[in-house]
Amino acid sequence: MSSNMYSSSSTSPKPPLIFPLLTTLFLFLSATAQSSSECSDQFRGMITTHGQTPNCRKLTTLKAEFGWTIFQNKTITVDVFFGARLDNDEGWLAWGVNPGHRPQMIGTRAMVGIKYKNGSFGVDTYNNTNLTKLGCPLLPSKLDEDDDVIFSNLQIRNQSDLVVISATINLPSDQYNISRLHHVWQVGDEADGNEPKKHPTTLQNVDSTETIDLKTSIGHSVGQHRRHLRTVHGILNIVGWGILLPLGVILARYFRQFPYQWKYWFIAHINIQIVGYTLGTIGWAIGLVLGHSSRYYTFRIHRILAIFIFTFTTLQMLALRLKPEAKDEYRKFWDMYHQFLGYALLALISVNIFQGIAILKPDHTLKWAYIGVLGALAAITLAFQIRTWVKFLQSSKKEKEKEKDNNKSDAQAPTGGGPPNGGGLPLVGGGGGGGHPGGSGGGEGPPKLIEKV
């Protein structure tokens, strides 16, 4: 086969795949940003008193919910309600405010509700200081002694797995601004008496801070922007490396020559691979930015796999310029290396995508959606592979029948007598006399197979 197969000069239009992909990404992010932040009916019912429902909204992490009512006289008084689900036999939930310049755990004045192993509940106030960060136990503390925020009327209630803690808090106006209130929330799985043990260090736990305007219900947080970046990072890598690159491989394997021969396969293969590589590289770069901006966590395996994938995928893309010529004696070894590395990268990409989904810990929708994508790709590959084997077996059968017919014809053909240069008919393709019936006197012999280039 001519090497033009690798460098078709066809002017067939190149499909602008990146535009529908980016449009899909934009619509997904818009839907995410506009998703309802209203609290659940169960939480709303638990905080409604005397027919009056406080303001309430879902918080951005841990499936937590927050409600409040403002009473502003000489001091700022707020009734606050915080709810989260405690699915285990024990655990704790906490909500608090921080008088510092940004929302963070250290320095937070909090109320903590604890679910004990015996099924009972308790709630108290705590002051999360630097000593906690150093490993000292976090124990109940009376916050009114510091002439700071005052918690009163502490209560805890539960309905099924949903636990709600509430209090009335007085906020000194010189330290707190309800238009920019730094609040923090948390959920943990273990408690030792009145001491809440260390919470998990997932992204959901680390991002549980926010600056909220209690008058407008609008909240802002660094974690929220990081979550959007993580979403973009995940979608770009799933679409680019997890979908487009495998599609390009499928096209090259089954449309190059066998079982289907499409003269534009190389152009389509290159376009799909370039778009997939570009989207994946952008997602990879966003992941590096997220990793460098993190102060509290690192995901070493995910990071190492991502760097490995980017490095060797880039090496694969360099084949556009660096691959040997079709007539080069080393070309067959290069082809084997290129194919083996490509298949290995596809497997590694799938593993790392599942790693990323596990890190994000979203609901199971994204995980099952990607499983569905892998299932579809596997089904397409299996269908083409079955077609390949069916066509191969059919071709083999036809070749055997043709060879059998040729052998039978050769056996029935007359053979010449006498000495080699003497009388009688010459052998097939001989250069002497009349030649084989149906051939020419100076016959060229049987047709030769055309060697592939």
Side-chain angles (χ1 to χ4, degrees):
M1 181 178 292
S2 172
S3 60
N4 290 337
M5 184 66 71
Y6 296 93
S7 58
S8 174
S9 59
S10 171
T11 58
S12 63
K14 298 179 180 180
L17 294 173
I18 195 169
F19 296 108
L21 291 173
L22 293 180
T23 301
T24 302
L25 175 63
F26 173 78
L27 294 175
F28 179 86
L29 293 177
S30 299
T32 302
Q34 297 174 1
S35 60
S36 175
S37 62
E38 295 183 357
C39 53
S40 65
D41 293 336
Q42 184 181 12
F43 179 74
R44 189 188 301 273
M46 292 179 68
I47 65 176
T48 299
T49 56
H50 306 295
Q52 295 183 349
T53 302
N55 302 304
C56 66
R57 62 189 288 264
K58 289 181 179 178
L59 297 176
T60 54
T61 63
L62 301 174
K63 299 181 181 179
E65 302 180 79
F66 177 57
W68 71 95
T69 301
I70 303 173
F71 305 96
Q72 191 166 2
N73 297 315
K74 293 182 179 180
T75 60
I76 303 173
T77 303
V78 185
D79 286 344
V80 293
F81 308 85
F82 174 74
R85 296 193 177 276
L86 301 180
D87 300 323
N88 300 329
D89 294 335
E90 66 173 338
W92 56 271
L93 70 165
W95 177 91
V97 292
N98 193 308
H101 298 293
R102 60 187 179 91
Q104 60 179 3
M105 293 293 176
I106 302 301
T108 294
R109 283 70 165 155
M111 57 177 175
V112 178
I114 298 178
K115 178 182 179 181
Y116 302 107
K117 288 184 178 180
N118 60 10
S120 62
F121 293 85
V123 60
D124 212 328
T125 56
Y126 294 74
N127 189 5
N128 196 347
T129 66
N130 281 318
L131 296 177
T132 307
K133 188 176 181 179
L134 295 175
C136 296
L138 180 61
L139 298 173
S141 172
K142 297 298 181 182
L143 301 178
D144 54 356
E145 297 176 356
D146 298 329
D147 194 24
D148 196 351
V149 59
I150 300 175
F151 283 78
S152 60
N153 194 26
L154 288 166
Q155 296 182 16
I156 184 169
R157 70 205 79 169
N158 75 295
Q159 189 177 97
S160 185
D161 292 331
L162 179 61
V163 181
V164 176
I165 54 177
S166 61
T168 299
I169 60 174
N170 293 322
L171 299 172
S173 58
D174 59 335
Q175 298 187 54
Y176 298 92
N177 181 358
I178 60 173
S179 296
R180 286 185 53 82
L181 185 66
H182 303 319
H183 74 131
V184 178
W185 62 95
Q186 197 54 257
V187 175
D189 299 325
E190 297 181 16
D192 184 8
N194 290 330
E195 179 192 353
K197 292 297 185 179
K198 186 176 180 180
H199 60 76
T201 56
T202 67
L203 295 179
Q204 291 270 319
N205 295 90
V206 173
D207 291 342
S208 296
T209 64
E210 183 182 63
T211 298
I212 187 173
D213 185 347
L214 294 182
K215 296 179 180 179
T216 63
S217 304
I218 297 176
H220 301 279
S221 70
V222 175
Q224 185 176 6
H225 300 308
R226 287 178 182 165
R227 280 190 297 277
H228 288 159
L229 280 178
R230 291 180 197 127
T231 302
V232 174
H233 162 72
I235 292 176
L236 287 176
N237 285 129
I238 289 175
V239 173
W241 284 349
I243 297 178
L244 291 182
L245 291 189
L247 284 178
V249 171
I250 290 174
L251 189 146
R253 178 175 175 83
Y254 297 106
F255 288 85
R256 178 176 177 177
Q257 182 180 7
F258 194 87
Y260 304 102
Q261 188 171 6
W262 183 36
K263 64 179 180 179
Y264 300 126
W265 76 268
F266 187 70
I267 294 175
H269 169 69
I270 291 301
N271 280 325
I272 292 175
Q273 299 301 82
I274 288 177
V275 174
Y277 174 77
T278 302
L279 294 180
T281 300
I282 295 172
W284 174 78
I286 293 174
L288 287 184
V289 172
L290 288 169
H292 284 300
S293 65
S294 166
R295 303 191 313 170
Y296 303 105
Y297 50 84
T298 181
F299 303 102
R300 190 175 303 277
I301 296 178
H302 185 62
R303 183 185 181 92
I304 292 174
L305 289 179
I307 293 174
F308 183 90
I309 289 169
F310 170 76
T311 301
F312 285 94
T313 304
T314 302
L315 188 62
Q316 289 286 83
M317 295 302 294
L318 291 177
L320 286 172
R321 295 295 180 186
L322 302 181
K323 68 177 182 292
E325 296 293 332
K327 60 184 179 181
D328 197 306
E329 60 178 321
Y330 300 107
R331 178 58 181 261
K332 62 180 181 180
F333 301 108
W334 184 90
D335 284 341
M336 289 189 292
Y337 139 79
H338 186 67
Q339 293 176 13
F340 174 79
L341 182 57
Y343 294 142
L345 281 173
L346 292 184
L348 201 59
I349 285 170
S350 297
V351 170
N352 210 31
I353 287 176
F354 279 115
Q355 280 268 341
I357 293 175
I359 290 170
L360 289 176
K361 292 188 181 298
D363 54 29
H364 294 295
T365 304
L366 183 59
K367 177 181 177 181
W368 286 109
Y370 183 60
I371 291 175
V373 168
L374 289 182
L377 292 173
I380 292 171
T381 303
L382 180 62
F384 280 130
Q385 193 64 31
I386 291 174
R387 174 57 183 157
T388 299
W389 278 103
V390 169
K391 189 171 182 178
F392 173 76
L393 294 175
Q394 290 175 344
S395 300
S396 299
K397 184 177 180 180
K398 290 180 180 179
E399 287 293 331
K400 289 180 179 180
E401 292 177 352
K402 184 177 180 181
E403 182 179 356
K404 184 177 181 180
D405 292 340
N406 289 338
N407 292 335
K408 185 176 181 181
S409 299
D410 291 341
Q412 295 176 352
T415 58
N421 295 326
L425 294 175
L427 296 177
V428 176
H436 190 276
S440 59
E444 299 177 357
K448 296 181 180 179
L449 294 177
I450 300 176
E451 183 180 358
K452 294 183 180 179
V453 179

